[in-house]
Amino acid sequence: MSGLVLGIETSCDDTCAAVVTTDGEIRSNVISSQGVHDRYGGVVPEVAARRHLELVNLVVDDALRRAHADLDDIERVAVTQGPGLVGALLVGVATAKGLAAARGLPLCAVDHLQGHVSANFLGPEPFEPPFLCLIASGGHTFLARVEGHAGFEVLGATLDDAAGEAFDKGARMLGLPFPGGPAVQRLASEGDPEAFDFPIAAGVPGLDFSFAGLKTSLLYRIRDLGEERGAECRADLAASYQRAIVEALARRVERALEQTGLPRLAIGGGVAANAALRERVGVLGVEVAVPPLELCTDNAAMIAGAARFAEPLDRAAALALDAYATGARGL
Ligand code: KG4
Ligand code: ZN
């Protein structure tokens, strides 16, 4: 067996390793969600880093085993360099550096956001550029023009919170567990999305997003309803709040499709797992690619996949590789 890329991703709270062929076929994609952050209502950076340290070697071994491969079969090592939590990223970077140095393998540093975009290029049905790409996760929300396999042009981004953050913060206000997206979606399925009118940042010009006003609006609405009435309306609040996030995303996508003339759309990031968003972008009248759920949320297959189109670092740069919290694009 040859032509395998080992990917490692530890930018937030999921410890991930994957094996992908140079043709983009996923041989394994192991995601160990830490599950220790729920009690804090969000990810605690130091806890995430320590947990990555405990898990990373086990997760890499598991990814190799599931791919029926060992390190002799690996042709290239890929790791997320940033953006993300630096302490968490450093665990993946140090692991990848060590593996590459010990085995004399080329090392590729991959941008996490490029990874989300590149999830579309993986088999069995790769979505080929050019296309418009919406990435909406817990840390990022942006629209990109994708014209090749390496790189993308940011057309617009959130001015404040990410869409996933809006789900997470809204969930907390509604007394739902972390991460908020799946919990809001579940509760929303029992509610009326038209019951409350939440703002969708209609006044924000261009292709940027804003979710801070929406979050504040939910806070005031819950306060105004009072405890008893608020509890009765929880499902309606969740459904209306979800609808506002989905509309805010979908309308910017519509505007971007119009402005760029790009004929196709791909969505990614954790929020792309949202059923209402998937349904909404499905009726925009363009061809839409929605990667499977495990490729929307953080994973290492997208990192290994992106490395297929990246230049490996030279030996000195590989040994000196450092993590970054914020990327060159300011995202
Ligand atoms: O991409 P991701 O796994 O990690 C980051 O890079 O942030 O995204 C996590 C985010 C969280 O904010 C989570 O609440 C949101 O994605 N999310 C969802 C759903 N599943 C995950 N949001 C809405 N609906 C979902 N079904
Ligand atoms: Zn992500």
Side-chain angles (χ1 to χ4, degrees):
M1 194 189 297
S2 69
L4 297 182
V5 184
L6 171 67
I8 299 174
E9 148 67 44
T10 61
S11 66
C12 193
D13 61 335
D14 296 319
T15 316
C16 312
V19 175
V20 167
T21 69
T22 44
D23 298 332
E25 181 201 331
I26 301 170
R27 290 285 170 86
S28 66
N29 189 19
V30 178
I31 303 167
S32 176
S33 297
Q34 297 187 347
V36 289
H37 305 280
D38 316 24
R39 75 190 78 154
Y40 306 110
V43 176
V44 183
E46 287 79 7
V47 175
R50 196 172 309 177
R51 199 81 184 107
H52 282 310
L53 206 52
E54 289 164 5
L55 291 171
V56 71
N57 288 334
L58 298 171
V59 168
V60 168
D61 283 349
D62 199 21
L64 288 168
R65 195 168 38 243
R66 284 171 194 244
H68 304 292
D70 60 35
L71 283 173
D72 291 335
D73 303 313
I74 301 299
E75 191 168 273
R76 173 177 288 207
V77 179
V79 66
T80 307
Q81 186 183 8
L85 305 169
V86 168
L89 286 160
L90 282 173
V91 176
V93 167
T95 305
K97 264 191 204 179
L99 278 172
R103 310 292 298 202
L105 290 168
L107 177 66
C108 279
V110 176
D111 181 271
H112 181 79
L113 304 176
Q114 179 67 56
H116 276 302
V117 171
S118 300
N120 293 291
F121 308 144
L122 290 164
E125 287 172 51
F127 196 63
E128 293 297 331
F131 55 78
L132 177 73
C133 190
L134 169 71
I135 299 297
S137 72
H140 300 93
T141 295
F142 65 95
L143 274 166
R145 180 201 294 274
V146 182
E147 287 191 329
H149 290 110
F152 55 87
E153 180 196 346
V154 178
L155 302 172
T158 184
L159 303 172
D160 38 60
D161 291 344
E165 215 174 339
F167 270 110
D168 294 339
K169 290 179 177 171
R172 198 199 289 206
M173 288 183 231
L174 292 166
L176 296 168
F178 175 85
V184 170
Q185 177 175 318
R186 252 190 319 274
L187 183 59
S189 67
E190 298 157 22
D192 174 8
E194 311 281 347
F196 295 96
D197 202 16
F198 286 119
I200 58 165
V204 175
L207 300 177
D208 289 332
F209 303 89
S210 170
F211 294 101
L214 169 65
K215 185 185 65 188
T216 312
S217 171
L218 175 64
L219 183 71
Y220 289 160
R221 195 53 70 100
I222 291 173
R223 195 194 58 189
D224 294 347
L225 284 168
E227 210 169 311
E228 199 177 320
R229 187 88 184 93
E232 280 167 24
C233 298
R234 262 171 96 236
D236 287 346
L237 285 166
S240 304
Y241 186 75
Q242 173 177 267
R243 189 182 79 94
I245 298 175
V246 168
E247 273 313 304
L249 293 170
R251 296 205 187 176
R252 286 303 181 288
V253 167
E254 250 170 342
R255 197 180 278 178
L257 288 168
E258 260 169 47
Q259 283 185 14
T260 61
L262 287 165
R264 297 146 79 237
L265 169 72
I267 64 173
V271 178
N274 185 267
L277 178 65
R278 287 171 172 244
E279 201 178 302
R280 180 68 175 81
V281 296
V283 295
L284 288 176
V286 292
E287 188 188 347
V288 183
V290 188
L293 292 192
E294 66 277 13
L295 294 180
C296 285
T297 49
D298 286 349
N299 67 88
M302 68 183 193
I303 302 302
R308 297 180 300 137
F309 306 104
E311 222 19 75
L313 300 164
D314 65 36
R315 198 169 157 72
L319 288 173
L321 184 67
D322 205 355
Y324 55 80
T326 306
R329 300 175 181 94
L331 294 173

